[in-house]
Amino acid sequence: MREVSAMEDRMHLQVVTPQALVCQSACSSVRLPLADGSAGILPGHAPLLGAVEEGVVYYTAQGKRHYVAVRHGTAHVSNNEVLLLVDAAAQAEDAERAREALQEIN
């Protein structure tokens, strides 16, 4: 059995708007709100290009779940890099606050 290095079990997530880099984190999983449904991304995921819908991005970093409210854009996944280029985004402490943030960024 092949040994898995610490880098292979993490990805690099970036959420970028035209105004700012909203989120940048090493993470172990990401859930994206895509046009054709929610997508779970884990390290080693196949390359993906998708349309991001308005919703909440969930990601796990250091064993804790984090939330980012996003508004329409694109997602690019490749080589353990997850890049979201979105119209607007806001980090939140929990899912409920992320949903509230969606109302504020509309």
Side-chain angles (χ1 to χ4, degrees):
M1 185 171 172
R2 189 172 75 85
E3 208 173 297
V4 177
S5 76
M7 289 306 292
E8 288 178 343
D9 66 351
R10 285 187 289 191
M11 301 172 290
H12 183 244
L13 170 67
Q14 291 186 61
V15 180
V16 182
T17 71
Q19 292 78 29
L21 173 63
V22 175
C23 173
Q24 180 167 259
S25 178
C27 57
S28 57
S29 67
V30 180
R31 170 103 20 216
L32 304 174
L34 299 180
D36 55 353
S38 180
I41 310 296
L42 296 172
H45 196 284
L48 169 79
L49 183 61
V52 175
E53 289 291 306
E54 184 174 294
V56 179
V57 172
Y58 303 87
Y59 68 94
T60 304
Q62 297 179 337
K64 183 178 177 200
R65 183 173 266 192
H66 301 269
Y67 307 87
V68 182
V70 296
R71 196 169 60 187
H72 309 285
T74 61
H76 181 255
V77 178
S78 181
N79 297 321
N80 288 335
E81 297 281 335
V82 180
L83 173 63
L84 304 180
L85 302 173
V86 295
D87 291 339
Q91 288 189 309
E93 294 177 18
D94 57 41
E96 185 59 35
R97 287 195 174 105
R99 288 185 197 92
E100 291 171 3
L102 278 175
Q103 299 303 317
E104 293 174 16
I105 63 176
N106 279 330

